[in-house]
Amino acid sequence: MTEYRFARTFLAGCLIVSLPSVAQAKATPAQARTLAALERELDQLDSDLTHAEDVAAIRKLQREYGFFIDKGLWEDLSALFTEDARASYPAGVFIGKASIREHIWRNVGDGSIGIKDGRVYNHMVLQPVIDVAGDGQTAKGRWRVLAMIGRFANPQANQAGQASWAGGIYENIYVKQAGVWKIQDLRYYNDFAAPYEGGWGKVEPLATPAASTGPTSDNSESPTVAILPGLTGTSAPPSRSRFKLAHPADAPRDDPCAGYPAPCIQPFHYANPVSGRENAK
């Protein structure tokens, strides 16, 4: 993008040299109109370039989010949020960067950096639709998530081996702070979760789980397995038991759709780009 900015400056300089300036000579009406038209065109090109840079920066931000989850880089992940951020995950709603950080560190991870041996946690963030507001300071984005999750069996910890697929939709709000785009509101809408063996054809109907108010003291179940950021369960996904969170959510989950096989349309932040019809909200 810097090459285009250089080209704009170069073109502006050529205009100053090629057209008489007020300090050197009085421009004719035709020359003045030409200069004004060219300046408007350059301003529009500059605005278009800034918009393209903003979209590219948001794409990179959300894709880095996926890569940081992949490798358990929880501190890098939490740094992508604003101080007043809100994150709605299947485990509940976490309010404020500090709470989101605790959730990522303690609920999704185990309080240490990095994915452990024998664990797969690929988090692919795909199919972006990004709309930057006219002021260039806020934006909204829709993404599709496809996750590959698994682990080796650990007989010592009474954990069975597990491999699964999961998918959903992000509808996020971003803000630009001091020239840097950050996530202000993240909403994950569940689409499906299914074991690798048998796939979604073997998934049983789900009941929407309620967010936990804290860790459970019931030790009769097998140890917790992280399914998606904020979604934990005790068996191959989807979890059909209550959540067990080391860091409790600040508010209950606000997604009414339990996900496949239940049909649902996750809200769109934009209207149909051709017909203008508002999509489901």
Side-chain angles (χ1 to χ4, degrees):
M1 294 295 184
T2 55
E3 294 86 352
Y4 293 103
R5 294 213 178 274
F6 175 80
R8 185 200 189 286
T9 304
F10 177 76
L11 287 172
C14 291
L15 286 173
I16 293 172
V17 172
S18 61
L19 293 174
S21 68
V22 175
Q24 295 174 334
K26 185 176 180 179
T28 66
Q31 289 173 329
R33 287 194 297 272
T34 300
L35 179 59
L38 288 172
E39 287 178 339
R40 286 194 299 271
E41 185 175 349
L42 285 173
D43 287 342
Q44 183 60 53
L45 289 171
D46 190 56
S47 176
D48 292 343
L49 176 58
T50 299
H51 180 273
E53 289 176 331
D54 287 336
V55 170
I58 293 168
R59 283 177 184 264
K60 183 177 181 182
L61 170 68
Q62 194 64 51
R63 286 168 174 169
E64 290 293 351
Y65 173 98
F67 282 122
F68 291 154
I69 288 177
D70 282 354
K71 302 306 176 187
L73 302 178
W74 316 125
E75 193 68 18
D76 293 287
L77 183 62
S78 60
L80 304 181
F81 291 87
T82 63
E83 293 297 329
D84 63 346
R86 177 186 183 279
S88 176
Y89 291 117
V93 179
F94 300 86
I95 301 172
K97 182 178 179 178
S99 181
I100 295 171
R101 180 183 182 277
E102 285 298 299
H103 165 62
I104 292 167
W105 270 90
R106 299 169 59 193
N107 297 339
V108 183
D110 63 355
S112 62
I113 293 291
I115 293 294
K116 299 299 180 285
D117 289 349
R119 188 177 180 188
V120 173
Y121 209 63
N122 293 342
H123 193 85
M124 293 167 279
V125 189
L126 313 165
Q127 204 175 342
V129 178
I130 299 169
D131 293 290
V132 181
D135 62 4
Q137 298 303 303
T138 62
K140 294 181 179 181
R142 183 180 182 87
W143 307 78
R144 182 180 302 281
V145 178
L146 180 62
M148 301 168 61
I149 305 155
R151 69 175 184 203
F152 280 134
N154 185 349
Q156 289 75 23
N158 193 31
Q159 290 180 338
Q162 177 258 337
S164 60
W165 296 100
I169 297 292
Y170 281 130
E171 271 284 353
N172 297 345
I173 297 175
Y174 308 89
V175 296
K176 186 191 284 187
Q177 296 182 339
V180 178
W181 284 99
K182 298 179 182 180
I183 302 170
Q184 185 180 53
D185 192 309
L186 180 145
R187 293 173 185 255
Y188 177 81
Y189 294 94
N190 189 40
D191 201 353
F192 77 95
Y196 175 82
E197 187 175 357
W200 35 91
K202 300 293 185 181
V203 173
E204 299 174 6
L206 277 169
T208 304
S212 169
T213 56
T216 177
S217 59
D218 181 3
N219 296 320
S220 62
E221 298 174 329
S222 58
T224 334
V225 182
I227 304 304
L228 274 176
L231 175 57
T232 55
T234 57
S235 61
S239 168
R240 289 166 175 82
S241 61
R242 67 186 178 277
F243 290 110
K244 302 194 296 182
L245 302 179
H247 174 67
D250 299 299
R253 173 71 168 160
D254 55 0
D255 178 12
C257 182
Y260 178 84
C264 61
I265 299 177
Q266 296 88 354
F268 292 78
H269 73 261
Y270 54 90
N272 185 299
V274 176
S275 69
R277 185 180 68 83
E278 290 292 320
N279 291 294
K281 297 292 185 182

